[in-house]
Amino acid sequence: MEAEPPPENRHDDHHPSTSGGGLGYFHLRLLCPAAPLLLLLLRSDRLYSLSLSRRRGPRLRLLASPRRRHGRRRRALLLSTSGCALRLTHRSSSADAVRVNGRPLLRGGCPADLAVGDEVSLLRRGTRYGFLVEKFVSCERPKLAAAEPCGEVLVLRAESLRKRLRAISESHDPLSFLRDSHCVENGSDDVRVKKAREEDVFLPLNLNAPIDAVAEEGLLREDCNLGQGKLEHCTDSAIAKNETDELIQRSKGSCDGNTEQKEYSNENTEQQHNENEGCYSDGSTFFLNRLIGIGSDVKVEQRSGVTLPQLLHPMDSLERVFIATFTSDVPQNLPVTIACHNKETCWSASRESRTAAPFGSYPNLLLVYPQFPEEIAFGKDRKKQGVACHHPKLLVLQRKDSMRVIVTSANLVPRQWHLITNTVWWQDFPCRTSTDYSALFSKVEESKSDFATQLVSFIAFLINEVPSQSYWINEIAKYNFEGAAGYLIASVPGIYARNPHYLESNYCLSRKQILHTKSAHRMFLGSVQTSVVGLSHRFHIPSDAGSKLKALSVLLSKCHVNMHGTTEVILKRNTNIPADANAVSVLVADLDKFTEEDSVHLGFLPREVAKWVSPLSDLGFFTFSGFIYPREALEAAYGATNTKVQLLLYVSKGPEFSQISRLIQDEHFPLLCSLVASLKRSLGLWRLEEVLSHFKWPETLETDFFYSASSIGTSINPQFIASFASAAGKRCNQDLDSEESDPEWGCWTANHELKKPSINLLFPTIDRVKNGACGIQLSRHLLSLPERTWQRLRSTGIFRDAIPHPYERIGHPMHVKVAQRRFESRLGRHSFGWTYCGSHNFSPAAWGQQLPPPKANPTEARAVSSGPRLHICNYELGIILIIPPSAMSKQISGRRHEINDIALPFVVPPPQYKLGDRPATSLAMREAMAEARILQSNDLVLDLSQDTDEDIPDEDDEHVIELSDCSPEEKEEEKIYAETLWEQVDSSQSQGKDQAGQ
């Protein structure tokens, strides 16, 4: 709580004096473990005593009435208010008991005049408590015309509020008192206030007022769900709405200001922090959010961080906003799409429950609940919901001339932007002169950035089941992302195999006839992992099953199998099937001398795939070709397995691809969105590896490798740590120029990790959390480290204390997820490496866990060799900033860009745990809370047990292992769809033969 000594001239422009005259209220912000940043209002014509209660535990109690008898021994502090003057007197015998701005206050009852910005601390039983003089609000009637009663009404309202607060505090049943909606207007002194409300008297709003932390504490939720009932009926949400509206109003009021754009560097950081102006970033670094309670000093304010109004400025030019967050409070009038977490709806199989709208107070708001796939549910049973959450923190702000992409670690709730340290990265991208759809399919190895590809792919994942929101795919294609300073790293729930290599195909899907055309590599856009449905029906009919199986076996034996074990099949449009005009048949044939009569009809594309494949092919925007594993298809046809037959759908540019921007219509956007969402991308650990593998990182020059996260998973073990380190570029061999062709050569393994740990994990100690400004209350739902994980890893020595930086943030909880691997040249003249920031915590749920190969059945030979698979539970998003080695590094303004230019939110190098240190595990925090009796009834202590700003479930090792045996099976609705198509295909073929015979 100690602060830097104040300047000699304390009553300068930045520490305005409270001296003067007039009625008003002092705002005191409590800073103590038992009262997390609560705001007290002191009337300026009263005497107050601030003391500690022994009977009810360590806390600060406000004794508003000077007439009550209190022993002199308990009067630790006296606050006398007269007019606009605030004076402090203490009667403690200790020389260091009371401090003002870190300096001891002299003994003997000598008073001290306090100014706005002063911090007072009191030592009590080894713990410091205190308060900050935040502001003084005058209630004197302003000089207005007689016809303008604003000042008088403001005084009346302030007096009414004071009386109501006193009545609540003295009530025997405060809850019943609050439920009485007439309690404010029953008193005779409040009649004029009521009359003013009825006459719609305008009361001026102080747009520069700080966010009230009392209202912050109103953001308590029953769970992490955000739904219509809570937005419209919940008092907590109404309080949060008022705060958000105030943020928006500030931004609207500042739209005429000029945005000063300044580059960021560690040596000369001048970030614009005026709430009346915006902010600028070139994307080469990240910033921190500005916290309440710091920044009153000019030097501190210049580095105190960025605010949400600054990021949204100017509000008037915003056209629409896309938000992806764990939980959120929202602007009221702006067109906004929010993808957020709901612990029930996200696991529902019903598409109708995937959105929520309309909202009476938010007419332009749509909530989207992204779905979790069945394969990550325990035992493939959605009732046994897996460990998963929708956890990204993304904001996309669209304007006519630019699009701002914001990747942060903060959820969109006031608490996380005002009280908790979070990282914020953003960059503005200009509008193109013409829409470019090819940018949506770029690759990381190409010269152009794949930022647009990753962004549009992630958004498509979230809105794929909401066709009305698919226009976002088209909007992103209007902006130029080639100048992106970083690489997006996304995680999406599912079980993934490695992306297949490009395969040259000979046949592609066509509406009119089966086309034989050689696909060119330059036209290839990507692949889609899908399946063939209907085998179980077609090949299990006794009448012709034998002949069909024999024909299939003969054809598959003749098919050319490529080096990846697949063979090409023919995709045929079925335009004459009434059940589905988009139906696509999968045919197996001898491609060297193809005739449709000699082919075998294997099955169909799933309905959900055919509904966008067929129209996009018909429009000429894309071409599609397919490959299967022949032995897998034969096994499924014989009934040896119930799993789906995989089909790799290769996507290339169609003949009309270059004309998409001219030909595309609104009804085509959902089709394009489904394609983009279905294309295979590298995710989680594999995306990290994909990005970093393009650079050579010299192991001998490494100086630091650490990860700071607010949550560390239950299933963290040497295997996962080694997988992360390997994906991050860690190698065991020193010969980086080796000609060894084995891709596993030099990879960092669990054995290497056990011998020499690769990475340090930053996590605060329990003592640091207990001594924070808010104590444990604000941290217990932010920090997650299971006790068993700590016990498993404590002997490795990889834990480091997470000390906030800069100094002013000490005592405030950190919710950052930051990783960095740093190198330094041999002569120490250049630092380079990479830095990650975003939403990924250090856990397999966020980054993915590599699964062991499926258990082999000794009685059955599997057709497909099982390669590595990655199991991801969460939706996550982050950004990785790369400073390459000197030979590849960028130069900005004539100066070499270095990784040391990125200011980190914690002290580096992070100190190792001392003997006896213990991290703030869930168990440690529960024990500390029990010892401090924080959960006892206390009128100044708010129970944050329902706070779910960040409620990250623990992982279960056993369930993760169980998932290794999961293989997708054909769903019942897919079987019904295929059976219907088979019946109509057979009927159509019979009619065709009859007509030919006639």
Side-chain angles (χ1 to χ4, degrees):
M1 184 178 293
E2 298 183 15
E4 296 179 2
E8 290 298 322
N9 183 13
R10 290 178 45 199
H11 303 307
D12 57 14
D13 293 339
H14 307 290
H15 281 77
S17 173
T18 57
S19 63
L23 177 66
Y25 286 87
F26 292 92
H27 291 202
L28 302 187
R29 186 77 63 179
L30 291 184
L31 306 173
C32 68
L37 294 181
L38 293 184
L39 186 67
L40 299 182
L41 303 181
L42 275 63
R43 180 166 161 163
S44 61
D45 58 352
R46 298 287 189 270
L47 175 67
Y48 296 86
S49 171
L50 221 57
S51 65
L52 294 168
S53 170
R54 294 181 180 178
R55 181 174 60 87
R56 306 182 71 180
R59 64 169 186 163
L60 282 173
R61 176 186 291 172
L62 176 63
L63 305 176
S65 174
R67 294 188 296 274
R68 297 180 181 176
R69 294 183 178 182
H70 298 286
R72 181 175 180 179
R73 181 170 53 89
R74 294 183 60 187
R75 288 182 189 158
L77 298 175
L78 288 179
L79 293 170
S80 60
T81 59
S82 177
C84 297
L86 179 63
R87 177 164 292 182
L88 169 69
T89 305
H90 82 99
R91 303 179 182 275
S92 175
S93 59
S94 173
D96 192 39
V98 181
R99 296 182 182 181
V100 177
N101 296 325
R103 292 182 173 180
L105 198 61
L106 297 178
R107 287 178 292 175
C110 296
D113 292 332
L114 300 179
V116 172
D118 285 345
E119 184 177 304
V120 178
S121 64
L122 170 67
L123 183 64
R124 175 72 172 175
R125 293 180 178 178
T127 303
R128 283 206 169 269
Y129 305 84
F131 63 86
L132 174 72
V133 183
E134 189 165 282
K135 66 183 298 185
F136 175 79
V137 177
S138 175
C139 291
E140 285 297 295
R141 180 175 180 177
K143 297 180 180 180
L144 299 172
E148 297 180 307
C150 302
E152 180 181 359
V153 173
L154 183 61
V155 174
L156 290 171
R157 290 188 65 182
E159 190 68 13
S160 172
L161 177 62
R162 182 186 66 81
K163 290 184 177 181
R164 188 184 183 198
L165 291 174
R166 174 175 291 180
I168 293 172
S169 65
E170 295 176 354
S171 172
H172 294 292
D173 189 359
L175 292 179
S176 299
F177 188 93
L178 288 171
R179 282 195 293 266
D180 184 3
S181 60
H182 303 290
C183 63
V184 180
E185 298 173 352
N186 284 340
S188 59
D189 291 342
D190 298 329
V191 174
R192 299 174 71 183
V193 177
K194 181 178 180 181
K195 184 174 184 296
R197 291 177 178 172
E198 292 174 350
E199 295 176 355
D200 247 355
V201 175
F202 172 74
L203 298 179
L205 175 65
N206 183 3
L207 298 179
N208 294 320
I211 300 300
D212 187 353
V214 176
E216 297 279 359
E217 302 304 329
L219 293 174
L220 308 182
R221 303 176 184 276
E222 295 178 2
D223 51 39
C224 54
N225 302 329
L226 182 61
Q228 181 170 358
K230 293 194 176 182
L231 277 174
E232 293 186 341
H233 306 298
C234 180
T235 303
D236 299 336
S237 295
I239 295 174
K241 169 187 173 298
N242 292 336
E243 293 186 343
T244 306
D245 289 344
E246 183 176 354
L247 293 176
I248 303 304
Q249 289 294 334
R250 291 191 208 174
S251 296
K252 286 185 176 180
S254 65
C255 290
D256 295 333
N258 295 324
T259 302
E260 184 176 352
Q261 299 182 346
K262 298 183 179 181
E263 292 191 4
Y264 176 90
S265 73
N266 197 37
E267 301 171 351
N268 184 22
T269 305
E270 297 200 17
Q271 170 78 20
Q272 180 56 259
H273 292 295
N274 190 338
E275 296 257 349
N276 294 327
E277 298 189 15
C279 50
Y280 170 77
S281 169
D282 63 2
S284 62
T285 189
F286 64 84
F287 299 86
L288 303 180
N289 59 312
R290 193 196 304 184
L291 303 179
I292 289 178
I294 68 172
S296 56
D297 179 81
V298 175
K299 294 180 179 179
V300 174
E301 185 172 354
Q302 286 183 346
R303 63 176 186 268
S304 62
V306 66
T307 66
L308 194 56
Q310 288 176 322
L311 292 168
L312 296 175
H313 174 84
M315 281 288 297
D316 286 351
S317 63
L318 280 175
E319 294 185 349
R320 56 181 61 87
V321 175
F322 182 91
I323 301 172
T325 180
F326 183 74
T327 184
S328 65
D329 297 305
V330 298
Q332 186 172 10
N333 299 317
L334 193 69
V336 177
T337 304
I338 300 183
C340 55
H341 184 83
N342 184 294
K343 64 182 181 183
E344 295 178 358
T345 306
C346 286
W347 285 97
S348 171
S350 171
R351 287 196 173 188
E352 290 72 20
S353 62
R354 199 69 67 228
T355 59
F359 298 95
S361 302
Y362 301 84
N364 298 316
L365 168 68
L366 177 69
L367 298 185
V368 177
Y369 304 113
Q371 186 181 25
F372 294 125
E374 286 187 355
E375 55 262 32
I376 67 168
F378 297 148
K380 296 181 289 185
D381 182 358
R382 285 187 172 275
K383 294 181 181 179
K384 301 177 182 178
Q385 297 173 2
V387 179
C389 64
H390 180 266
H391 195 246
K393 297 90 172 61
L394 166 71
L395 290 87
V396 179
L397 312 179
Q398 184 181 0
R399 295 182 170 89
K400 184 176 181 180
D401 58 347
S402 67
M403 178 173 281
R404 172 169 290 186
V405 178
I406 304 171
V407 178
T408 174
S409 63
N411 291 301
L412 197 63
V413 290
R415 180 191 308 279
Q416 293 220 351
W417 284 89
H418 300 152
L419 305 178
I420 300 164
T421 294
N422 281 282
T423 59
V424 187
W425 176 93
W426 76 95
Q427 188 173 351
D428 295 323
F429 301 95
C431 187
R432 296 181 181 271
T433 55
S434 60
T435 307
D436 182 12
Y437 288 92
S438 62
L440 305 183
F441 302 95
S442 60
K443 300 178 180 60
V444 68
E445 62 268 13
E446 296 177 356
S447 57
K448 297 181 180 180
S449 169
D450 71 340
F451 191 96
T453 304
Q454 296 296 320
L455 177 64
V456 76
S457 177
F458 187 72
I459 292 179
F461 276 124
L462 304 181
I463 63 174
N464 187 30
E465 292 188 316
V466 190
S468 64
Q469 297 300 302
S470 58
Y471 65 84
W472 276 104
I473 309 301
N474 185 63
E475 297 304 314
I476 292 174
K478 296 178 181 178
Y479 296 84
N480 188 345
F481 296 89
E482 294 177 9
Y487 296 87
L488 287 177
I489 308 288
S491 290
V492 175
I495 299 178
Y496 303 96
R498 289 284 188 181
N499 290 344
H501 296 277
Y502 168 77
L503 296 174
E504 190 176 78
S505 60
N506 294 284
Y507 291 86
C508 63
L509 180 65
S510 174
R511 182 178 180 84
K512 296 181 179 180
Q513 60 181 3
I514 297 174
L515 293 181
H516 183 279
T517 174
K518 207 86 168 176
S519 62
H521 186 88
R522 62 182 178 84
M523 305 288 286
F524 177 65
L525 298 177
S527 61
V528 175
Q529 180 76 50
T530 182
S531 61
V532 182
V533 298
L535 273 75
S536 59
H537 177 81
R538 182 59 163 175
F539 293 96
H540 294 168
I541 300 177
S543 59
D544 60 349
S547 59
K548 293 293 183 183
L549 283 172
K550 182 178 180 180
L552 177 63
S553 178
V554 171
L555 284 175
L556 288 177
S557 65
K558 295 180 179 179
C559 289
H560 172 68
V561 179
N562 56 45
M563 61 183 297
H564 303 295
T566 62
T567 186
E568 185 175 3
V569 293
I570 292 176
L571 304 178
K572 177 189 175 185
R573 288 279 278 110
N574 296 112
T575 57
N576 58 341
I577 299 181
D580 186 5
N582 293 321
V584 176
S585 294
V586 179
L587 308 178
V588 177
D590 184 355
L591 300 184
D592 293 333
K593 46 182 180 179
F594 170 74
T595 60
E596 190 169 351
E597 291 76 15
D598 295 332
S599 63
V600 172
H601 194 174
L602 191 64
F604 304 90
L605 289 184
R607 182 197 292 269
E608 293 302 313
V609 176
K611 75 177 182 180
W612 54 265
V613 166
S614 292
L616 289 178
S617 174
D618 296 346
L619 291 166
F621 294 164
F622 303 92
T623 60
F624 302 91
S625 55
F627 289 80
I628 65 168
Y629 293 93
R631 287 193 57 191
E632 185 181 61
L634 195 59
E635 286 180 3
Y638 274 99
T641 176
N642 292 324
T643 59
K644 291 182 180 180
V645 173
Q646 301 176 71
L647 185 141
L648 298 177
L649 194 66
Y650 285 82
V651 186
S652 301
K653 294 180 180 179
E656 302 296 335
F657 182 85
S658 60
Q659 301 298 318
I660 292 183
S661 58
R662 182 177 62 85
L663 299 176
I664 198 168
Q665 303 296 323
D666 290 350
E667 61 267 23
H668 301 149
F669 294 156
L671 309 176
L672 184 60
C673 180
S674 296
L675 168 62
V676 172
S678 301
L679 285 173
K680 292 177 68 68
R681 308 288 184 201
S682 295
L683 299 166
L685 283 178
W686 288 354
R687 169 62 177 172
L688 184 69
E689 180 183 25
E690 179 182 64
V691 171
L692 295 178
S693 63
H694 292 276
F695 305 89
K696 286 189 175 182
W697 305 106
E699 294 290 331
T700 56
L701 302 183
E702 179 189 296
T703 59
D704 294 288
F705 190 8
F706 47 74
Y707 201 125
S708 178
S710 58
S711 177
I712 297 178
T714 301
S715 52
I716 294 295
N717 53 30
Q719 287 74 21
F720 172 77
I721 299 176
S723 296
F724 182 87
S726 179
K730 186 75 175 176
R731 294 293 179 266
C732 65
N733 62 300
Q734 304 299 325
D735 186 8
L736 299 179
D737 297 323
S738 172
E739 298 295 330
E740 178 62 50
S741 59
D742 184 358
E744 299 298 322
W745 173 258
C747 283
W748 193 260
T749 66
N751 290 332
H752 299 121
E753 189 66 35
L754 289 171
K755 294 177 182 178
K756 183 180 180 182
S758 61
I759 190 170
N760 292 322
L761 301 182
L762 276 65
F763 203 82
T765 63
I766 186 62
D767 290 337
R768 183 166 301 282
V769 172
K770 289 163 60 176
N771 295 330
C774 304
I776 298 174
Q777 291 281 21
L778 201 57
S779 297
R780 61 190 178 120
H781 289 283
L782 293 175
L783 302 176
S784 177
L785 172 59
E787 183 71 22
R788 58 175 172 169
T789 302
W790 158 244
Q791 295 299 337
R792 183 191 306 129
L793 298 178
R794 65 183 304 177
S795 61
T796 63
I798 64 176
F799 279 90
R800 300 291 186 271
D801 194 6
I803 304 177
H805 179 79
Y807 169 79
E808 294 80 16
R809 292 181 178 266
I810 291 180
H812 292 269
M814 287 197 301
H815 186 240
V816 302
K817 300 92 166 59
V818 174
Q820 187 178 84
R821 192 178 184 210
R822 183 167 51 182
F823 304 83
E824 194 169 281
S825 64
R826 298 186 187 281
L827 299 179
R829 297 176 180 176
H830 175 49
S831 63
F832 57 95
W834 56 266
T835 305
Y836 166 87
C837 66
S839 71
H840 289 80
N841 281 302
F842 194 72
S843 71
W847 286 103
Q849 177 162 300
Q850 295 202 38
L851 298 180
K855 296 178 181 178
N857 188 337
T859 63
E860 131 186 349
R862 291 298 300 152
V864 185
S865 59
S866 57
R869 295 180 299 163
L870 189 68
H871 169 248
I872 299 176
C873 291
N874 296 352
Y875 290 96
E876 307 278 1
L877 188 68
I879 190 82
I880 188 164
L881 308 172
I882 299 178
I883 311 299
S886 56
M888 307 172 64
S889 62
K890 298 179 181 179
Q891 301 251 343
I892 298 180
S893 302
R895 182 182 61 84
R896 174 173 287 166
H897 199 44
E898 299 196 8
I899 198 170
N900 290 337
D901 295 337
I902 299 178
L904 299 173
F906 40 77
V907 171
V908 177
Q912 191 169 4
Y913 278 16
K914 301 186 296 293
L915 184 64
D917 278 351
R918 180 186 182 189
T921 64
S922 303
L923 177 62
M925 287 191 285
R926 287 197 301 269
E927 292 175 349
M929 290 174 61
E931 293 172 3
R933 295 182 298 170
I934 290 178
L935 294 181
Q936 286 187 348
S937 174
N938 191 322
D939 58 352
L940 285 182
V941 178
L942 291 177
D943 184 7
L944 304 185
S945 61
Q946 299 299 324
D947 179 4
T948 53
D949 284 354
E950 193 69 17
D951 187 10
I952 303 173
D954 291 335
E955 298 162 77
D956 192 312
D957 295 8
E958 295 179 359
H959 284 145
V960 173
I961 295 174
E962 180 183 326
L963 285 168
S964 65
D965 295 328
C966 290
S967 298
E969 297 181 0
E970 196 170 75
K971 300 179 183 178
E972 189 62 31
E973 56 267 27
E974 292 177 334
K975 293 180 181 179
I976 296 174
Y977 169 71
E979 289 172 5
T980 304
L981 296 185
W982 278 125
E983 292 173 359
Q984 295 185 4
V985 166
D986 293 340
S987 176
S988 174
Q989 291 176 349
S990 299
Q991 292 178 5
K993 292 179 180 178
D994 292 342
Q995 292 175 359
Q998 294 175 359

